[in-house]
Amino acid sequence: MKVIRDPIHGYIELDELTLSLVDSPPMQRLRRISQLGLSNLVYPGANHTRFEHSLGVMHLASILTSGIDTVGNDEKDELKVAALLHDIGHAPFSHVTEGLIKRYTRKGHEDIRDIIKKTEISEILTEHGISPSKVENHIQGITDFGKILNSEIDVDKMDYLVRDSHYTGVAFGLVDHMRLINELRFYENKLVVSQGGVKAAESLLVSRFLMHPSVYYHHVSRIAETMFTRAVDDLIQHELLDPFELRRMDDAKISEMIRNNDGYASELASRLDNRELYKRALYVGFDEVGGSVLKHRKNVRRIEAEIADMVGIESKEVLIDIPSDPEIVEMKALVKMNGRMLRLDECSHVVATLEHAHRDNWKMGVYTTREHRDKVGKAARDFFDVKKTVKQFRLTELDG
């Protein structure tokens, strides 16, 4: 037995099985995959990785399963392994490149079968009598017990909210995760929150709601990530990068590739290295553009070219970021209250209110270079038929 000191959970124990997995190359690669993408351009302390997050999720999963009598010892081992390996499918900079990976490979970060089969992980699991396919099913939340890792309320969310809050210094990630873990039960093969855990579940949703605009969708992070994604996509489009290979890279490797390119990708890389980011020409929510704007998500390149043509600049000088429809899946979590099964938003006014408020966090961005910001902003407002006048931002040198 070995012990690792974690700044969030204290001491985390590793047995022979988990230690063997931790020492494997797929797990060690996670030391070089940032947890929050390019958020360190906003929060300099946000340099934590998927590696320590994976250890934290394993730790919380072990605590949760130890208190549930219906989980057998074999299943506890499977779930502990699944929790440890749940992020080995992440590509460089985590969620920043996930959209590209899905577009070109049709694989999400939870699709890890090929990683397990082609590495020593399969051999390690087999030696310890653990089925790789069962581990994968747990990670994808297909099994009943896998819901502790992948469901509306799970130990994955509990760890990353607290951990991201710690490393960014944003004091919104205050989640009573231990109380929540103690109030989770399996009832009729479903993971449910007992009545005593409603307030702890509310704290998780409030935390995620507040962390969303402050950290996960901070406008500087969104600009930087849009620029980075476009640089990587440029390499793929020019057949200089295999998207299947991208999935096996780390942050440093892909950063080196875009820096060494002699075209558009290197231009963006240079800007990112020196924090000379594109600026917000338009930054609006659903109240200005309406929910129908989501239909443009598949035509971003065409719209960028059209707006650039309206202004008389190159299309590469306009970047559009249209996030997906905001959703708080946690509100669908089941609560057992007075013998009845209710959705969390049905028994909590706080959660029901957050459902509507969360849409206010959604923002569409049109970004460009500083010198073209005003002209691109006007053209973008015309194109998207912005419903009300958007005041021009008085941006400082540090603003995005």
Side-chain angles (χ1 to χ4, degrees):
M1 184 75 68
K2 278 202 172 185
V3 175
I4 292 177
R5 177 68 183 179
D6 179 65
I8 307 301
H9 304 301
Y11 291 106
I12 296 177
E13 294 182 345
L14 297 175
D15 56 20
E16 180 185 351
L17 167 59
T18 51
L19 183 60
S20 297
L21 292 170
V22 163
D23 288 339
S24 67
M27 274 299 301
Q28 289 298 309
R29 185 183 72 95
L30 296 185
R31 290 183 183 271
R32 306 184 298 277
I33 304 293
S34 59
Q35 173 80 6
L36 286 180
L38 296 166
S39 292
N40 62 352
L41 291 175
V42 183
Y43 301 104
N47 292 306
H48 54 306
T49 70
R50 289 281 156 181
F51 181 79
E52 56 259 45
H53 166 62
S54 297
L55 292 174
V57 175
M58 180 198 70
H59 176 70
L60 294 182
S62 297
I63 294 174
L64 177 54
T65 57
S66 67
I68 301 177
D69 295 335
T70 54
V71 183
N73 290 331
D74 290 343
E75 289 164 326
K76 287 179 181 178
D77 285 341
E78 290 171 5
L79 290 166
K80 180 168 60 176
V81 167
L84 183 62
L85 300 178
H86 80 285
D87 272 350
I88 61 171
H90 264 298
F93 294 96
S94 297
H95 292 291
V96 177
T97 57
E98 185 161 13
L100 283 178
I101 296 293
K102 284 186 175 180
R103 187 198 314 168
Y104 287 108
T105 72
R106 307 299 183 195
K107 291 183 181 295
H109 74 271
E110 295 161 347
D111 298 315
I112 63 168
R113 180 171 301 174
D114 59 324
I115 299 175
I116 290 179
K117 289 177 64 176
K118 295 178 181 179
T119 65
E120 53 267 65
I121 287 178
S122 179
E123 183 178 340
I124 293 171
L125 295 182
T126 302
E127 286 177 357
H128 288 83
I130 294 177
S131 166
S133 61
K134 287 185 177 179
V135 169
E136 183 187 17
N137 289 339
H138 288 322
I139 290 173
Q140 294 182 347
I142 295 173
T143 66
D144 293 333
F145 291 135
K147 296 295 189 297
I148 72 171
L149 301 174
N150 190 339
S151 64
E152 291 81 9
I153 291 181
D154 54 45
V155 292
D156 181 24
K157 295 181 181 68
M158 294 181 207
D159 183 84
Y160 78 63
L161 284 170
V162 178
R163 192 172 298 277
D164 294 348
S165 174
H166 174 83
Y167 282 103
T168 58
V170 175
F172 294 146
L174 302 176
V175 180
D176 192 352
H177 59 281
M178 292 309 299
R179 175 59 184 264
L180 188 53
I181 283 175
N182 289 329
E183 296 293 341
L184 287 174
R185 302 284 186 273
F186 275 98
Y187 179 73
E188 295 180 350
N189 296 324
K190 295 181 175 65
L191 185 66
V192 302
V193 180
S194 63
Q195 188 168 343
V198 170
K199 293 301 179 185
E202 286 177 345
S203 77
L204 185 143
L205 266 74
V206 170
S207 171
R208 188 168 179 269
F209 169 76
L210 294 173
M211 290 283 282
H212 194 272
S214 300
V215 177
Y216 304 130
Y217 274 69
H218 189 285
H219 71 273
V220 173
S221 297
R222 294 296 296 186
I223 293 169
E225 291 169 2
T226 302
M227 292 171 66
F228 185 88
T229 301
R230 192 57 55 85
V232 175
D233 195 24
D234 188 69
L235 295 183
I236 296 174
Q237 291 287 328
H238 287 89
E239 299 184 350
L240 299 173
L241 173 64
D242 180 352
F244 287 92
E245 182 63 26
L246 171 64
R247 196 162 177 254
R248 295 187 286 269
M249 291 181 174
D250 58 29
D251 294 1
K253 181 65 175 177
I254 188 59
S255 296
E256 179 185 18
M257 283 194 70
I258 64 173
R259 287 191 188 105
N260 292 337
N261 176 255
D262 58 1
Y264 179 46
S266 65
E267 292 177 25
L268 292 173
S270 178
R271 283 183 170 273
L272 289 167
D273 285 342
N274 297 304
R275 207 180 184 278
E276 296 175 355
L277 306 180
Y278 279 29
K279 304 301 177 183
R280 290 177 290 177
L282 184 68
Y283 200 62
V284 292
F286 282 129
D287 54 340
E288 289 101 342
V289 293
S292 62
V293 73
L294 295 172
K295 68 185 180 183
H296 293 305
R297 294 188 75 229
K298 295 182 179 180
N299 301 309
V300 163
R301 291 293 186 92
R302 179 184 61 78
I303 299 170
E304 289 171 351
E306 188 168 337
I307 291 175
D309 187 60
M310 292 166 66
V311 176
I313 60 177
E314 293 186 71
S315 61
K316 68 179 184 180
E317 294 181 275
V318 178
L319 296 179
I320 296 176
D321 173 29
I322 306 178
S324 59
D325 195 6
E327 181 184 17
I328 303 180
V329 296
E330 294 89 340
M331 69 180 58
K332 299 176 184 177
L334 295 176
V335 177
K336 188 179 181 184
M337 182 173 288
N338 299 324
R340 298 173 59 204
M341 295 284 281
L342 300 172
R343 279 181 26 156
L344 184 56
D345 58 344
E346 294 174 328
C347 57
S348 168
H349 293 300
V350 172
V351 175
T353 301
L354 286 179
E355 179 177 7
H356 301 288
H358 188 54
R359 290 182 68 83
D360 293 337
N361 286 336
W362 185 95
K363 290 288 186 291
M364 178 191 77
V366 179
Y367 315 129
T368 188
T369 55
R370 182 185 297 275
E371 59 268 29
H372 299 310
R373 185 172 59 197
D374 291 342
K375 291 186 295 183
V376 169
K378 183 181 184 304
R381 286 192 294 274
D382 290 342
F383 180 89
F384 289 107
D385 191 24
V386 176
K387 295 178 182 177
K388 65 179 182 181
T389 301
V390 180
K391 295 180 180 179
Q392 292 295 309
F393 294 96
R394 294 182 177 177
L395 303 173
T396 65
E397 289 299 316
L398 293 178
D399 197 1

